[in-house]
Structure formats: structure tokens, C-alpha cells
Amino acid sequence: MRFELTQEQQLFREMVREFAAKEVAPRAKQVDEEGVFPHETIKKMGELGLMGVAIPPAYGGAGADTVCYAIAMEEIARACASTSTVMTVNNSLVGDLLYRFGSEAQKLRYLVPLAGGRTVACYALSEPGAGSDAAGQQTTVRKDGNVFVLNGTKNFITNALEADFAVVFATVDRGIRAKGVCALIVEKGTPGFTITKVEKKLGIRGSSCCQLLFEECRVPAENLVGEVGQGFKIAMATLDSGRIGVAAQAVGIAQGALDISLGYSMQRVAFEKPIASFQAIQWMIADIATRTEAARLMTYRAAWLKDRGGRYTREASMAKLLASETANFAATKALQIHGGYGYIYDFPAQRLFRDARITEIYEGTSEIQRVVIAQHLLS
Ligand code: CAA
């Protein structure tokens, strides 16, 4: 068993860490407070291969492995969780989906610019009445000659406001649940496709979260990904990969919480000593560091399993569960170490605290991860 990163992975980490410190971290406060989408940063990340880390160069990506993807996600999230959310949706929820399930024509038209950071995309699975119960899709799709016609509403769709296209899930027959689901690529500006609401959120404020409406929206038949009825399995297999991305994001947030806890506790003086000299603070720091390391190891292992081929559903869910709960633990402790300063906007602790919260909700709640893990243990 080898625990060290390969030379390529180490170099990749150094490159992303340097980029994140120089280009991402200095903008994190503004991205959060003003709720601005980091267009310029995303463009630069695309040029570095960070918008398609594990996508082969032939399709516009960096051609690195999934461990490099996890490392890169972690480093970007450590600097700015909002920016890493845009990164993970493009890389895993849409890029990986198109790479694994898209036709050659779909890859050339949609994946190549996406992986190069020249476009943004979103993954439209959730609905007002179908969140955890993803097979209960109410959005319908019917074939009409050489087009598919979509009708329905999608909810909480990350990046939708800026997205050039969406991968939309819909059913040909609500009565057959998972077996009726289809995945379709819908371009922005397609008649009948509108954004009806942009949500105001607690955290991850630099990436949009929208409600989408489809009314008799006609999509060319060649935009169907896979076959009619394969959409649920495509959605689930894609979420396996997405959950590695969210796990890595959560590890990055936890590491960010450790960074600020170390920095603040060594310079803040109380009772005539730096507060780092008190055991109450040392124990919190030790717990943050230990849990972060455990989450990192599980995340890298899930990524490594994906690279080896075969199913990694259980390991991705375990990594996401542990890492997201760790991010929330770490951010809560970091805020506590900062005392009153943790609660005000001049210090980053409150941002990490707000940004960490969604990692236990999106791409499957912690409760759903436990269901997936238990199903695999009991089958
Ligand atoms: N890979 C491949 N196939 C899979 C799979 C996977 N990971 N998981 C399930 N399947 C297959 C099953 O094998 C089964 O196939 P057969 O019919 O051939 O046997 C079929 O799919 C149906 O599976 P289940 O019976 O297990 O389906 P279910 O209805 O019980 O649902 C669930 C299971 C785990 C609860 C699932 O619905 C789930 O993961 N829900 C959470 C959805 C989620 O994560 N939503 C987040 C939205 S995305 C988001 O947050 C994006 C964003 O904007 C950031």
C-alpha cells in the first residue's frame, strides 16, 4: 500500500495551490459578499485545464486522473468554495457525464468548450417535488418527429443563470419511475426554456441557484444522451463521480478552517498569552486536523477507485458523508476559536461556516448517503 502522491499528482497540487493563492483567494471575500460569479477566474482555470481535469486532451481537458481532480477541487475550495462549486458542476456533473455517456458529436459540440473553460453548464435533476427521490421525476418528455418536447419545472439548479446549456432529466412515463427517465442537452435560448427564479442563499453565493421552467420546449433528437429510459442510471452514475467532487470541496473547506484557526490562535493574545497555548484551543485544532486528514484519505481512495474502473458508489458516498460532516465540524470550531471575530464579516470564519453547510445537502443529503451505504452493505 502506498500513501504518497505520484510525482505528477504532487506537481499538479503545487500548480493549483499557487494559482489558488494568487488568483482565487484574494477574490473570495468579494465573490461571497457581492454574490458575483467568478467569470474571469473560471476562464483562467479553463486555460490551466481545471475545468476538465480528468477529461482527455482530445476532448479539451487536462487528461489527468481523478485523484488530481480531487486535489485540484480541494485546493480551489480551500481558497474559495463558491469557485469550486462552479468547477465541480462543470467537471463532474456535466463533463464526466458527457465523456462517459455522450455521443461523439455531443462530446465535440458540448464537452470540448466546457472542459476548456469557455462555457458553463448545469445539471437539472432536482424538482420541487423530486429532490432526494430522484426517480420521482414530474418533468415530462415526449417524442414528436425528430424532436423531444419537455414540460416541467426544475429546482435548485447550480450555475443555471450563467450556463450555456443544461443537461435536463425528464420522464416519458411518470408511472414507471426510474425506468422512464431520459437525459437531454438543452441549450440556453431554446424557446420554451426560461429561468423563473434566482434563489438567495446562505452560502456559496458566487454561484447561482435557479428554478427552470420548460413549456413545450423542443429539443433536437440528437441531444438525447444515451437511450430513452437510461437517464436515471446516467444521473446516478454521474452523482457517484460528483460526490467525489463535493467530498474534495468539503476537505478544502475543512483545510481552510484549519488554516485560519492556526493563524488566528497563534497571533490572538488573551490572559497575556497567544490563545494557541491553551489546551481548549489545541484540542479543537487537533480534532479539526485529524478529521480533515481522515476525510482526505477517504476522498482520495474513492477517486483512486474510480480511476481503477468498476463501481465505487459506496466509497464515493462514504467520502462525501464523512467529508461534508467534517467541513461543518471544522468550520464551527474555527468560528468558535475566533470568538466574536468569527461572527463578523471582516473575518473569513463565518464564510466557511455558511459555505460548509450545503455540502451536507447537495448531490445527495447526508441521509441519502447513509441510505446508499446501507443498501450496498445489505445487498
Ligand atoms: N450507478 C448506476 N446505476 C445505479 C446507481 C448508480 N450509482 N444507483 C442506482 N442505480 C440503478 C439501480 O441499479 C437500479 O437499476 P435496475 O432497475 O436495473 O435494478 C435503478 O438505478 C434504480 O435504482 P434504485 O431502485 O436504487 O432507485 P431509488 O429510486 O431507490 O433511488 C436513491 C435511490 C439513492 C435514493 C437515489 O434516488 C438518490 O441518490 N437520490 C438523491 C438524489 C441526489 O443526489 N440529488 C441531488 C441533485 S443534484 C445536485 O445537487 C446538483 C447541483 O446543482 C449541485
Side-chain angles (χ1 to χ4, degrees):
M1 181 181 282
R2 297 172 71 91
F3 278 105
E4 74 267 25
L5 300 176
T6 64
Q7 202 187 8
E8 187 203 354
Q9 290 160 350
Q10 284 177 36
L11 288 172
F12 203 80
R13 183 169 65 184
E14 274 168 38
M15 183 272 285
V16 185
R17 189 171 285 176
E18 199 181 314
F19 172 80
K22 205 167 129 213
E23 301 280 349
V24 185
R27 294 179 174 83
K29 189 172 191 292
Q30 186 202 6
V31 163
D32 171 60
E33 288 184 7
E34 296 175 16
V36 286
F37 187 89
H39 283 290
E40 278 308 305
T41 311
I42 296 301
K43 204 164 148 261
K44 287 182 188 164
M45 286 168 67
E47 285 157 11
L48 288 176
L50 298 180
M51 299 312 284
V53 176
I55 304 293
Y59 297 117
D65 60 15
T66 311
V67 175
C68 281
Y69 169 54
I71 290 168
M73 271 298 297
E74 184 186 332
E75 293 298 332
I76 299 294
R78 181 182 181 181
C80 174
S82 282
T83 304
S84 73
T85 294
V86 180
M87 179 179 168
T88 190
V89 172
N90 268 30
N91 271 270
S92 26
L93 288 187
V94 184
D96 195 56
L97 180 152
L98 291 174
Y99 177 57
R100 284 204 279 171
F101 303 104
S103 67
E104 187 62 18
Q106 288 167 353
K107 285 179 191 156
L108 295 176
R109 184 176 169 107
Y110 298 104
L111 179 57
V112 170
L114 184 77
R118 296 186 296 284
T119 56
V120 171
C122 63
Y123 174 92
L125 177 68
S126 300
E127 299 186 354
S132 289
D133 181 14
Q137 295 284 306
Q138 295 299 302
T139 297
T140 59
V141 59
R142 64 170 201 277
K143 187 100 189 273
D144 182 7
N146 61 353
V147 295
F148 283 100
V149 186
L150 283 166
N151 280 287
T153 303
K154 293 287 169 183
N155 233 17
F156 303 141
I157 308 305
T158 305
N159 290 353
L161 192 61
E162 297 78 17
D164 297 281
F165 67 94
V167 176
V168 181
F169 297 88
T171 181
V172 288
D173 180 352
R174 289 172 180 157
I176 56 172
R177 288 181 53 86
K179 291 192 170 21
V181 179
C182 306
L184 291 132
I185 300 166
V186 186
E187 291 187 15
K188 185 182 202 166
T190 306
F193 170 20
T194 44
I195 293 176
T196 41
K197 191 177 176 203
V198 182
E199 307 289 353
K200 288 188 180 158
K201 295 181 284 157
L202 179 70
I204 310 287
R205 299 187 62 245
S207 104
S208 60
C209 174
C210 306
Q211 188 173 74
L212 316 181
L213 179 65
F214 297 92
E215 293 171 298
E216 289 293 295
C217 177
R218 297 170 76 80
V219 180
E222 65 261 27
N223 283 19
L224 177 73
V225 181
E227 306 284 326
V228 168
Q230 272 186 356
F232 187 77
K233 288 184 184 177
I234 291 174
M236 291 298 116
T238 299
L239 281 169
D240 289 345
S241 151
R243 287 166 186 167
I244 295 175
V246 176
Q249 173 182 52
V251 172
I253 294 171
Q255 182 63 48
L258 178 62
D259 296 341
I260 61 168
S261 299
L262 289 170
Y264 184 78
S265 64
M266 286 193 282
Q267 59 85 22
R268 170 71 174 169
V269 172
F271 305 101
E272 298 173 350
K273 290 178 189 164
I275 63 169
S277 64
F278 299 115
Q279 284 192 343
I281 302 296
Q282 290 174 4
W283 290 1
M284 285 195 265
I285 287 173
D287 285 343
I288 297 173
T290 305
R291 293 191 197 195
T292 302
E293 196 58 34
R296 177 177 290 121
L297 288 172
M298 284 203 74
T299 303
Y300 288 1
R301 178 165 171 266
W304 173 80
L305 277 172
K306 179 170 188 252
D307 286 330
R308 283 185 36 165
R311 192 88 180 253
Y312 57 94
T313 303
R314 185 185 68 169
E315 290 77 8
S317 282
M318 284 178 164
K320 200 242 180 207
L321 174 63
L322 180 70
S324 60
E325 292 189 351
T326 297
N328 280 279
F329 172 84
T332 302
K333 293 295 179 199
L335 196 152
Q336 190 69 18
I337 289 168
H338 283 69
Y341 292 104
Y343 203 66
I344 62 171
Y345 271 58
D346 294 349
F347 286 74
Q350 47 74 34
R351 173 165 52 83
L352 299 182
F353 181 80
R354 288 181 291 104
D355 285 345
R357 195 63 192 84
I358 192 65
T359 63
E360 279 197 62
I361 299 171
Y362 61 18
E363 301 200 32
T365 60
S366 290
E367 292 69 30
I368 287 295
Q369 306 313 324
R370 287 183 167 90
V371 167
V372 172
I373 295 161
Q375 277 173 354
H376 279 253
L377 293 171
L378 295 167
S379 63

